[in-house]
PDB file of all heavy atoms in Angstrom:
ATOM      1  N   GLU V  29      44.838  39.843 -75.020  1.00  0.00           N
ATOM      2  CA  GLU V  29      45.669  38.798 -75.598  1.00  0.00           C
ATOM      3  C   GLU V  29      44.905  38.046 -76.691  1.00  0.00           C
ATOM      4  O   GLU V  29      45.452  37.671 -77.710  1.00  0.00           O
ATOM      5  CB  GLU V  29      46.090  37.837 -74.501  1.00  0.00           C
ATOM      6  CG  GLU V  29      47.380  37.107 -74.822  1.00  0.00           C
ATOM      7  CD  GLU V  29      47.960  36.462 -73.595  1.00  0.00           C
ATOM      8  OE1 GLU V  29      47.259  36.393 -72.567  1.00  0.00           O
ATOM      9  OE2 GLU V  29      49.083  36.025 -73.659  1.00  0.00           O
ATOM     10  N   LEU V 111      69.533  78.189 -94.331  1.00  0.00           N
ATOM     11  CA  LEU V 111      69.093  78.770 -93.055  1.00  0.00           C
ATOM     12  C   LEU V 111      68.903  77.732 -91.959  1.00  0.00           C
ATOM     13  O   LEU V 111      69.196  77.984 -90.787  1.00  0.00           O
ATOM     14  CB  LEU V 111      67.767  79.528 -93.254  1.00  0.00           C
ATOM     15  CG  LEU V 111      67.777  80.759 -94.140  1.00  0.00           C
ATOM     16  CD1 LEU V 111      66.370  81.312 -94.291  1.00  0.00           C
ATOM     17  CD2 LEU V 111      68.693  81.840 -93.575  1.00  0.00           C
ATOM     18  N   ARG V 122      77.173  71.476 -80.525  1.00  0.00           N
ATOM     19  CA  ARG V 122      77.555  72.403 -79.446  1.00  0.00           C
ATOM     20  C   ARG V 122      76.625  72.418 -78.244  1.00  0.00           C
ATOM     21  O   ARG V 122      77.014  72.885 -77.184  1.00  0.00           O
ATOM     22  CB  ARG V 122      77.630  73.842 -79.993  1.00  0.00           C
ATOM     23  CG  ARG V 122      78.477  74.014 -81.226  1.00  0.00           C
ATOM     24  CD  ARG V 122      79.926  73.827 -80.920  1.00  0.00           C
ATOM     25  NE  ARG V 122      80.777  74.231 -82.017  1.00  0.00           N
ATOM     26  CZ  ARG V 122      81.879  73.585 -82.375  1.00  0.00           C
ATOM     27  NH1 ARG V 122      82.262  72.500 -81.717  1.00  0.00           N
ATOM     28  NH2 ARG V 122      82.610  74.001 -83.382  1.00  0.00           N
ATOM     29  N   MET V 140      53.579  73.977 -86.081  1.00  0.00           N
ATOM     30  CA  MET V 140      52.247  73.495 -85.734  1.00  0.00           C
ATOM     31  C   MET V 140      51.168  74.567 -85.834  1.00  0.00           C
ATOM     32  O   MET V 140      49.993  74.283 -85.646  1.00  0.00           O
ATOM     33  CB  MET V 140      52.255  72.895 -84.321  1.00  0.00           C
ATOM     34  CG  MET V 140      52.765  71.473 -84.291  1.00  0.00           C
ATOM     35  SD  MET V 140      51.613  70.364 -85.110  1.00  0.00           S
ATOM     36  CE  MET V 140      52.693  69.111 -85.734  1.00  0.00           C
ATOM     37  N   GLN V 155      52.851  93.150 -97.337  1.00  0.00           N
ATOM     38  CA  GLN V 155      52.228  94.037 -98.309  1.00  0.00           C
ATOM     39  C   GLN V 155      52.673  95.488 -98.159  1.00  0.00           C
ATOM     40  O   GLN V 155      53.431  95.831 -97.255  1.00  0.00           O
ATOM     41  CB  GLN V 155      50.711  93.888 -98.312  1.00  0.00           C
ATOM     42  CG  GLN V 155      49.992  94.400 -97.103  1.00  0.00           C
ATOM     43  CD  GLN V 155      48.513  94.012 -97.168  1.00  0.00           C
ATOM     44  OE1 GLN V 155      48.157  92.894 -97.539  1.00  0.00           O
ATOM     45  NE2 GLN V 155      47.655  94.930 -96.786  1.00  0.00           N
ATOM     46  N   ALA V 253      48.442  74.427-103.155  1.00  0.00           N
ATOM     47  CA  ALA V 253      47.859  75.456-104.017  1.00  0.00           C
ATOM     48  C   ALA V 253      47.784  76.821-103.350  1.00  0.00           C
ATOM     49  O   ALA V 253      47.842  77.860-104.011  1.00  0.00           O
ATOM     50  CB  ALA V 253      46.467  75.009-104.440  1.00  0.00           C
TER      51      ALA V 253
ATOM     52  N   TYR R 276      84.876  74.042 -77.864  1.00  0.00           N
ATOM     53  CA  TYR R 276      84.640  74.316 -79.270  1.00  0.00           C
ATOM     54  C   TYR R 276      84.367  75.808 -79.463  1.00  0.00           C
ATOM     55  O   TYR R 276      83.443  76.344 -78.882  1.00  0.00           O
ATOM     56  CB  TYR R 276      83.402  73.557 -79.767  1.00  0.00           C
ATOM     57  CG  TYR R 276      83.457  72.075 -79.614  1.00  0.00           C
ATOM     58  CD1 TYR R 276      82.648  71.442 -78.692  1.00  0.00           C
ATOM     59  CD2 TYR R 276      84.312  71.305 -80.389  1.00  0.00           C
ATOM     60  CE1 TYR R 276      82.681  70.076 -78.555  1.00  0.00           C
ATOM     61  CE2 TYR R 276      84.350  69.939 -80.255  1.00  0.00           C
ATOM     62  CZ  TYR R 276      83.527  69.320 -79.337  1.00  0.00           C
ATOM     63  OH  TYR R 276      83.559  67.970 -79.207  1.00  0.00           O
ATOM     64  N   TYR R 288      71.142  83.345 -83.323  1.00  0.00           N
ATOM     65  CA  TYR R 288      70.616  83.069 -84.662  1.00  0.00           C
ATOM     66  C   TYR R 288      69.465  82.059 -84.580  1.00  0.00           C
ATOM     67  O   TYR R 288      68.412  82.235 -85.203  1.00  0.00           O
ATOM     68  CB  TYR R 288      71.737  82.552 -85.567  1.00  0.00           C
ATOM     69  CG  TYR R 288      71.237  82.006 -86.879  1.00  0.00           C
ATOM     70  CD1 TYR R 288      70.705  82.867 -87.835  1.00  0.00           C
ATOM     71  CD2 TYR R 288      71.255  80.644 -87.158  1.00  0.00           C
ATOM     72  CE1 TYR R 288      70.202  82.384 -89.029  1.00  0.00           C
ATOM     73  CE2 TYR R 288      70.767  80.141 -88.349  1.00  0.00           C
ATOM     74  CZ  TYR R 288      70.245  81.015 -89.280  1.00  0.00           C
ATOM     75  OH  TYR R 288      69.748  80.529 -90.462  1.00  0.00           O
ATOM     76  N   PHE R 313      43.617  96.352 -89.555  1.00  0.00           N
ATOM     77  CA  PHE R 313      44.959  96.416 -90.150  1.00  0.00           C
ATOM     78  C   PHE R 313      45.196  97.750 -90.865  1.00  0.00           C
ATOM     79  O   PHE R 313      44.316  98.282 -91.526  1.00  0.00           O
ATOM     80  CB  PHE R 313      45.118  95.264 -91.153  1.00  0.00           C
ATOM     81  CG  PHE R 313      46.353  95.369 -92.000  1.00  0.00           C
ATOM     82  CD1 PHE R 313      47.615  95.170 -91.444  1.00  0.00           C
ATOM     83  CD2 PHE R 313      46.269  95.700 -93.346  1.00  0.00           C
ATOM     84  CE1 PHE R 313      48.747  95.276 -92.216  1.00  0.00           C
ATOM     85  CE2 PHE R 313      47.406  95.805 -94.125  1.00  0.00           C
ATOM     86  CZ  PHE R 313      48.654  95.594 -93.571  1.00  0.00           C
ATOM     87  N   ASP R 385      46.657  68.992-101.672  1.00  0.00           N
ATOM     88  CA  ASP R 385      45.802  69.176-102.851  1.00  0.00           C
ATOM     89  C   ASP R 385      45.778  67.924-103.717  1.00  0.00           C
ATOM     90  O   ASP R 385      44.749  67.568-104.281  1.00  0.00           O
ATOM     91  CB  ASP R 385      46.299  70.355-103.687  1.00  0.00           C
ATOM     92  CG  ASP R 385      46.099  71.659-102.958  1.00  0.00           C
ATOM     93  OD1 ASP R 385      44.982  72.171-102.974  1.00  0.00           O
ATOM     94  OD2 ASP R 385      47.070  72.141-102.347  1.00  0.00           O
ATOM     95  N   ARG R 457      55.832  39.360 -68.261  1.00  0.00           N
ATOM     96  CA  ARG R 457      55.138  38.123 -68.649  1.00  0.00           C
ATOM     97  C   ARG R 457      55.688  36.944 -67.841  1.00  0.00           C
ATOM     98  O   ARG R 457      54.932  36.079 -67.402  1.00  0.00           O
ATOM     99  CB  ARG R 457      55.316  37.834 -70.153  1.00  0.00           C
ATOM    100  CG  ARG R 457      54.675  38.855 -71.088  1.00  0.00           C
ATOM    101  CD  ARG R 457      53.185  38.998 -70.907  1.00  0.00           C
ATOM    102  NE  ARG R 457      52.443  37.749 -71.022  1.00  0.00           N
ATOM    103  CZ  ARG R 457      52.013  37.225 -72.171  1.00  0.00           C
ATOM    104  NH1 ARG R 457      52.226  37.851 -73.295  1.00  0.00           N
ATOM    105  NH2 ARG R 457      51.342  36.095 -72.180  1.00  0.00           N
ATOM    106  N   ASN R 492      43.937  72.698 -87.831  1.00  0.00           N
ATOM    107  CA  ASN R 492      44.716  73.421 -88.847  1.00  0.00           C
ATOM    108  C   ASN R 492      44.342  73.055 -90.274  1.00  0.00           C
ATOM    109  O   ASN R 492      44.478  73.851 -91.182  1.00  0.00           O
ATOM    110  CB  ASN R 492      46.205  73.100 -88.681  1.00  0.00           C
ATOM    111  CG  ASN R 492      46.784  73.752 -87.445  1.00  0.00           C
ATOM    112  OD1 ASN R 492      46.134  74.580 -86.820  1.00  0.00           O
ATOM    113  ND2 ASN R 492      47.983  73.370 -87.081  1.00  0.00           N
ATOM    114  N   TYR R 494      42.981  72.273 -93.839  1.00  0.00           N
ATOM    115  CA  TYR R 494      41.982  72.917 -94.687  1.00  0.00           C
ATOM    116  C   TYR R 494      41.818  72.192 -96.027  1.00  0.00           C
ATOM    117  O   TYR R 494      40.720  71.847 -96.420  1.00  0.00           O
ATOM    118  CB  TYR R 494      42.363  74.382 -94.928  1.00  0.00           C
ATOM    119  CG  TYR R 494      41.676  74.990 -96.111  1.00  0.00           C
ATOM    120  CD1 TYR R 494      40.305  75.233 -96.079  1.00  0.00           C
ATOM    121  CD2 TYR R 494      42.370  75.281 -97.279  1.00  0.00           C
ATOM    122  CE1 TYR R 494      39.650  75.751 -97.182  1.00  0.00           C
ATOM    123  CE2 TYR R 494      41.726  75.804 -98.385  1.00  0.00           C
ATOM    124  CZ  TYR R 494      40.371  76.042 -98.337  1.00  0.00           C
ATOM    125  OH  TYR R 494      39.721  76.542 -99.424  1.00  0.00           O
TER     126      TYR R 494
END
Side-chain angles (χ1 to χ4, degrees):
Chain V
E29 205 165 12
L111 295 176
R122 308 291 191 219
M140 278 292 150
Q155 70 188 42
Chain R
Y276 302 110
Y288 169 69
F313 170 70
D385 292 280
R457 295 301 305 274
N492 288 350
Y494 161 69

